[in-house]
Amino acid sequence: MSTFSLVDRGPSLIRIGFRDGSEDGLTFAFRFTDATMSISNQGVDLIRQGWGKRGSNVLQEGYGTSTVLPEQGIYLAASIYRPVLQFTDKVASMLPQKYSQLGNDGLLAFVDNFVKDHFLPSMFVDYRKAVQQAISSPAAFRPRAHAVTSYTPLVEKGRPILQGLLAIDFLAKEVLGWVQAMPKFAVALVNYVQTFLERTYERCRTSYMEAVLEKQSYMLIGRHDIEHLMRRDPASACLPCSIGELNTENGEGSEVETEISDALLNLRPIRQENLIRDDNKLILLASLSDSLEYIADSIERLGKICHSTSNQVEQNGGQKAPKHSRTSSTPPRDLPAFAEEYKKLAIDCLKVLRVEMQLETIFHLQEMTSKEYLDDQDAEEPDDYIISLTSLITRRDEEMAPFIAGSRRNYIFGGICSVASNASIKALADLKAINLFGVQQICRNSIALEQALAAIPSIDGEAVQLRLDRVRTYYELLNMPFEALLAFVAEHENLFSFVEYSNLLKVQVPGREIPADALDRVAEVLPR
């Protein structure tokens, strides 16, 4: 009758033997040292320190259901699984036929049962605690204060990934690293990681909702019309690629930007309580977006490795296939789906920040229609609402700079110019009167805004200048006599719309005479 035994001979030596009842039994010894630990414990060490130990008086001998390694050594199973598998296959090929099946039925079955009955349950409990501690810590979703002066894309050089998500990344890498070592248990390991990622995603979603709940920007990006326009916006080309999302069509960029700004301007008046006025929440959204994108990229890479490992196991089955056909199965392709969910939430954070800055711009510029621009002297400073807006833009850009890449900053602040330009031109329709000094004041306002936006390194200064030059050109037309204005319209019929040219004629400008048939004459040279 065949027998099998495993005896612990200390922290570094395990002796394994089996007999078939004859005198010539076989015994093999395995010695473990720290060098055998191929899997990094960095993620676990971040979380597991300080955990209480379960009872240490565990049985050190036995077979089947006994704990054969001390608690801290149980993770050696991940390192020895593949060597044992290769060892048994090699020994089986070398032994006489009567011993070959015995080695696989004994040693390999023992290791499989140990991993299934002891390693995986213990691992799941340990890592579930680790994940919970990682995402529930008060510092887990707190952006690092002044981590770096400028953004860096490398974690090793200071990329400020949120601590909770960085710990989760370490934990996921450890567990999925064992897929290569123990391909038989790939499905169970990937399922564990999926559980961790789902719990972490819900915590990220909660953190996101705490920052945006009941705010106008959050409600707007959920509107079908706004969401559709933002997806067509050329600026969305810089966002993380999302399955099923198509960016702008060629040649429609300016039209889409105008449609978006018109939709937002129709929301006036914008109320302060509907805006995210806490800069810390905006910094959190920027940091959360970058961290989510980092984790999504990491999950995608790990998913490809797991899938490749499973394919290799199947392709290399050969003579192993009959023996381990029930052990090699492809992990479910759910990791890419998790990566997609993380990316979508990262994109939502960026969309909220972009719309938030556009709404802030409208909130400040809507004061323009309540002012009188009949000044009696040339003012030396921009209007107070412009000073407030430019200060807010500069401050928020500086605060977000360490936490988000330049292309993302361009997306967040790049929507301000089109909204400001459109709002300034539309504001003329609500002005009852304006004089020469008033025109100069509005031009000074646009110059101050241009300087604030051009100071953001990631923004195209030339594009900003062109848009705000258009505002200045529009208001300077108020200083022209009607005949000169009519000649300008004939030469630049596409620069402004018929409605915009009409508003130039309707506003009262001291000293300017407008004939009664002015609109008809403009209509003759400007097709509606």
Side-chain angles (χ1 to χ4, degrees), residues 9-236:
R9 298 298 186 188
S12 63
L13 181 65
I14 292 181
R15 191 173 301 276
I16 304 169
F18 51 87
R19 295 179 179 274
D20 65 345
S22 62
E23 295 298 325
D24 52 346
L26 299 174
T27 302
F28 305 96
F30 294 84
R31 182 176 296 278
F32 303 109
T33 66
D34 290 341
T36 63
M37 291 298 292
S38 60
I39 305 299
S40 167
N41 283 324
Q42 186 176 13
V44 176
D45 291 342
L46 290 175
I47 310 301
R48 196 183 294 153
Q49 294 176 359
W51 282 6
K53 302 294 183 184
R54 296 192 296 268
S56 59
N57 298 323
V58 294
L59 296 176
Q60 295 299 312
E61 297 183 6
Y63 169 62
T65 60
S66 300
T67 301
V68 298
L69 289 174
E71 181 181 1
Q72 290 180 330
I74 197 171
Y75 288 94
L76 283 171
S79 295
I80 69 171
Y81 185 87
R82 184 174 288 275
V84 167
L85 181 64
Q86 294 173 342
F87 172 80
T88 55
D89 286 343
K90 184 65 175 178
V91 169
S93 67
M94 297 171 60
L95 290 175
Q97 186 65 33
K98 65 177 181 177
Y99 291 122
S100 60
Q101 188 62 35
L102 179 64
N104 286 309
D105 286 346
L107 177 58
L108 187 56
F110 167 77
V111 176
D112 283 345
N113 289 335
F114 179 83
V115 171
K116 181 180 65 176
D117 297 335
H118 298 282
F119 174 81
L120 291 179
S122 296
M123 184 217 71
F124 183 66
V125 172
D126 285 351
Y127 278 76
R128 183 172 57 188
K129 291 179 181 177
V131 169
Q132 185 60 33
Q133 186 170 344
I135 62 178
S136 61
S137 167
F141 288 86
R142 183 185 304 148
R144 304 179 193 179
H146 307 291
V148 288
T149 56
S150 60
Y151 179 82
T152 176
L154 300 176
V155 174
E156 298 80 6
K157 294 187 177 180
R159 182 175 179 177
I161 304 301
L162 291 169
Q163 295 180 30
L165 291 180
L166 192 59
I168 294 300
D169 185 51
F170 285 142
L171 296 171
K173 285 177 178 176
E174 280 196 331
V175 176
L176 291 178
W178 294 328
V179 170
Q180 292 177 295
M182 300 184 295
K184 171 178 180 177
F185 302 98
V187 172
L189 292 169
V190 172
N191 284 340
Y192 286 164
V193 172
Q194 290 169 353
T195 302
F196 305 156
L197 292 177
E198 184 176 5
R199 185 170 301 177
T200 303
Y201 175 81
E202 292 302 325
R203 179 63 183 85
C204 292
R205 183 78 186 177
T206 298
S207 182
Y208 165 75
M209 291 302 300
E210 289 173 352
V212 304
L213 190 61
E214 297 183 353
K215 298 304 179 181
Q216 198 164 13
S217 54
Y218 163 68
M219 292 184 282
L220 282 172
I221 68 167
R223 273 177 40 177
H224 176 73
D225 56 337
I226 298 296
E227 188 274 337
H228 180 65
L229 288 171
M230 294 186 76
R231 192 163 4 115
R232 292 167 51 208
D233 190 346
S236 66

Side-chain angles (χ1 to χ4, degrees), residues 484-504:
L485 175 60
L486 190 62
F488 181 91
V489 172
E491 295 177 2
H492 304 85
E493 61 180 30
N494 295 322
L495 185 57
F496 300 102
S497 68
F498 175 77
V499 173
E500 289 168 343
Y501 278 124
S502 300
N503 290 334
L504 289 171

Side-chain angles (χ1 to χ4, degrees), residues 410 414 417 450-451 453-470 472:
N410 181 34
C417 189
E450 177 186 328
Q451 291 172 341
L453 292 174
I456 300 176
S458 57
I459 284 186
D460 184 353
E462 292 185 4
V464 170
Q465 182 180 1
L466 286 174
R467 287 184 177 279
L468 294 178
D469 269 347
R470 184 170 180 271
R472 293 188 284 271

Side-chain angles (χ1 to χ4, degrees), residues 335-348:
L335 289 178
F338 274 99
E340 189 66 20
E341 289 301 312
Y342 276 71
K343 279 187 179 181
K344 286 181 179 179
L345 187 55
I347 291 173
D348 283 349

Side-chain angles (χ1 to χ4, degrees), residues 168-340:
I168 294 300
D169 185 51
F170 285 142
L171 296 171
K173 285 177 178 176
E174 280 196 331
V175 176
L176 291 178
W178 294 328
V179 170
Q180 292 177 295
M182 300 184 295
K184 171 178 180 177
F185 302 98
V187 172
L189 292 169
V190 172
N191 284 340
Y192 286 164
V193 172
Q194 290 169 353
T195 302
F196 305 156
L197 292 177
E198 184 176 5
R199 185 170 301 177
T200 303
Y201 175 81
E202 292 302 325
R203 179 63 183 85
C204 292
R205 183 78 186 177
T206 298
S207 182
Y208 165 75
M209 291 302 300
E210 289 173 352
V212 304
L213 190 61
E214 297 183 353
K215 298 304 179 181
Q216 198 164 13
S217 54
Y218 163 68
M219 292 184 282
L220 282 172
I221 68 167
R223 273 177 40 177
H224 176 73
D225 56 337
I226 298 296
E227 188 274 337
H228 180 65
L229 288 171
M230 294 186 76
R231 192 163 4 115
R232 292 167 51 208
D233 190 346
S236 66
C238 79
L239 295 177
C241 293
S242 182
I243 295 175
E245 276 203 30
L246 298 176
N247 289 323
T248 179
E249 299 175 13
N250 293 331
E252 66 167 358
S254 59
E255 291 83 354
V256 172
E257 290 181 348
T258 300
E259 288 182 57
I260 292 174
S261 62
D262 285 345
L264 297 179
L265 288 170
N266 288 336
L267 301 172
R268 291 177 296 182
I270 304 297
R271 301 186 183 279
Q272 184 170 342
E273 58 268 23
N274 294 330
L275 300 174
I276 305 175
R277 303 312 295 260
D278 186 349
D279 287 356
N280 291 324
K281 291 184 177 180
L282 299 174
I283 295 171
L284 171 61
L285 289 173
S287 182
L288 181 61
S289 175
D290 186 62
S291 300
L292 286 165
E293 186 177 346
Y294 170 80
I295 297 297
D297 291 340
S298 180
I299 293 171
E300 281 187 340
R301 289 192 296 269
L302 292 171
K304 290 177 181 178
I305 293 173
C306 293
H307 186 62
S308 175
T309 300
S310 299
N311 286 341
Q312 289 177 7
V313 171
E314 293 179 349
Q315 291 171 4
N316 297 335
Q319 60 183 6
K320 281 190 197 176
K323 205 183 306 180
H324 306 304
S325 59
R326 56 182 169 78
T327 67
S328 58
S329 56
T330 303
R333 297 184 180 182
D334 285 346
L335 289 178
F338 274 99
E340 189 66 20

